[in-house]
Amino acid sequence: MNITLFETRESAERLDPISLTRPVFDLRCGALTFMERIRLLQPKATFTLFVRKELSELTRQRFPDCNVNPGTSSGGLWMDGAVLWSKESLKALEKQGDTALSKEGRLVGGNLSKKDAHDWIDAGGPCEVPPPVFGDETDITVISYLWDCVHKNGDTIRDDASHFSLGEINGWIDDGAHLVNRDEISVGEGSRVRVGTIIDAEPGPVIIGKNVVIQPSAYVEGPVFIGDGSLIRVGAKIFGGTTIGPGCKVGGEVTESIFQGWSNKQHDGFLGNAYIGEWVNLGAGTNNSDLKNNYTSVKIMVNGKWIDTGSLFVGLFIGDHSKSAIGTQFNTGTVVGPACNVVTAGFPRRAIPPFSWVVRGKSRDHAFDEFMKTAIAAKNRRGHSFSGAEENLFRRIAKESN
């Protein structure tokens, strides 16, 4: 079976700033990215990917086994990459024949004919033009904004737990570490839970990947996912609804937040209802607010417009390769684009464009050459390289931001 996974530009713009540097199906929600979840549901499938033109080079690099932005299609199963697909919803889609499923007027998936698929591609493709068909209304979960990812994260971790072997402890648990509700805990090979740590899975499952180290006296309360190679610092407090992607270093207090991967929040400070991209570094004592003092819903800047989230709890969204200095304070509903450096006393403004250098409340452009030096050094320190495809994408983002 071949699955065609697509994103739309409208969807990507709503998921800014995390979606500026990756297709929407590569975002995390729960224990998995959207695409990882589909691969587990259909392990024998091959994939065709339709992404924004500016992401095609990087997507080919990250998914070398997939066909990216082809000029034609033989039809078959087409799926929106911003949907939390499940076994049941995938079965419903497969049964549709030459029709489709929609959510509030938006095509989320279809078993398209060769003609419908070809006509859509020929007209400009799913990233740029509406689909040729609309189908039956479905109650499937579609992620429209980053706060949707955050608010649904805990329940999605619970759902994703079926893909993991709960109750299996393949790493080392020190004497004096405590596992509460052990049957809802999974610990991968090479991982270690140090003395004095409490893993509490009564509120939900705790899934710990391979080669994870949880240092002494940490508290981890499910539902939580901790990705391969991550480090949880001494005395950290990780509360339910939190996903920590691979290669992260996390300390202090974290609740209902998502780390895409390879980011650091090593020191004390509060992070709540937040979505953190890759290669982000939050300086010691960085905090964010996720609740207004007057208990009203939070408005947030999305693609140049203020959107009322309808939620009391919305924190910080920060793009790839951005950094905060020690003691930084982020206000409720702050958005920081990729490649920013925030060094300021008091709250910086709540919408910081990509490639901004914010010092003492004043902003200037972050020079691209200086950004490149830091980004290359950050990735090299962790055994990764900064590819030409990444450079081309970030150069484009810098040009469009200045």
Side-chain angles (χ1 to χ4, degrees), residues 29-32 37 84 149 152-161:
C29 186
L32 305 160
R37 186 172 295 106
L84 290 174
C149 276
K152 296 180 185 299
N153 198 50
D155 287 339
T156 308
I157 292 172
R158 291 185 177 94
D159 293 340
D160 288 341

Side-chain angles (χ1 to χ4, degrees), residues 208-368:
I208 299 169
K210 298 178 181 179
N211 302 312
V212 172
V213 175
I214 301 181
Q215 292 184 337
S217 301
Y219 176 71
V220 180
E221 176 189 89
V224 160
F225 173 79
I226 302 173
D228 295 352
S230 285
L231 171 67
I232 307 301
R233 287 294 192 186
V234 171
K237 300 180 286 292
I238 313 297
F239 292 102
T242 294
T243 289
I244 298 171
C248 292
K249 299 179 180 180
V250 178
E253 181 181 356
V254 179
T255 185
E256 295 187 78
S257 295
I258 300 172
F259 288 79
Q260 181 72 17
W262 305 103
S263 289
N264 295 339
K265 180 204 171 298
Q266 298 206 61
H267 307 287
D268 287 344
F270 172 74
L271 188 73
N273 282 274
Y275 199 128
I276 308 300
E278 291 186 346
W279 307 103
V280 173
N281 191 77
L282 302 179
T286 294
N287 291 273
N288 82 271
S289 167
D290 65 354
L291 175 66
K292 294 166 65 175
N293 286 344
N294 60 3
Y295 305 105
T296 58
S297 63
V298 179
K299 293 182 179 179
I300 195 164
M301 179 70 77
V302 179
N303 201 32
K305 298 180 180 178
W306 288 102
I307 303 293
D308 191 335
T309 66
S311 174
L312 300 183
F313 291 94
V314 179
L316 168 68
F317 305 137
I318 184 166
D320 292 2
H321 288 280
S322 283
K323 296 170 174 59
S324 69
I326 58 172
T328 302
Q329 302 176 71
F330 289 106
N331 211 335
T332 320
T334 295
V335 178
V336 181
C340 293
N341 196 21
V342 182
V343 185
T344 188
F347 292 118
R349 54 184 172 155
R350 291 177 51 217
I352 300 176
F355 280 88
S356 295
W357 191 286
V358 182
V359 179
R360 299 187 183 92
K362 296 182 179 180
S363 181
R364 64 173 175 83
D365 292 341
H366 189 174
F368 186 80

Side-chain angles (χ1 to χ4, degrees), residues 1 9 24 79 82 85 138 149 156 183 203 222 234 303 368 399:
M1 173 191 292
R9 187 168 294 279
V24 298
M79 302 169 67
W85 292 99
T138 177
C149 276
T156 308
D183 288 345
V234 171
N303 201 32
F368 186 80
K399 183 177 180 180

Side-chain angles (χ1 to χ4, degrees), residues 19-77:
S19 59
L20 274 176
T21 47
R22 59 185 48 79
V24 298
F25 50 75
D26 201 24
L27 272 69
R28 293 190 177 278
C29 186
L32 305 160
T33 68
F34 293 89
M35 186 168 179
E36 286 172 345
R37 186 172 295 106
I38 297 170
R39 283 189 187 273
L40 288 173
L41 291 170
Q42 287 288 351
K44 295 182 180 180
T46 58
F47 284 84
T48 298
L49 308 177
F50 280 94
V51 300
R52 287 157 283 161
K53 184 178 179 180
E54 61 268 26
L55 288 179
S56 57
E57 182 185 11
L58 185 59
T59 303
R60 289 188 182 98
Q61 181 185 91
R62 290 184 175 175
F63 301 96
D65 61 331
C66 299
N67 191 9
V68 178
N69 288 358
T72 187
S73 170
S74 59
L77 215 58

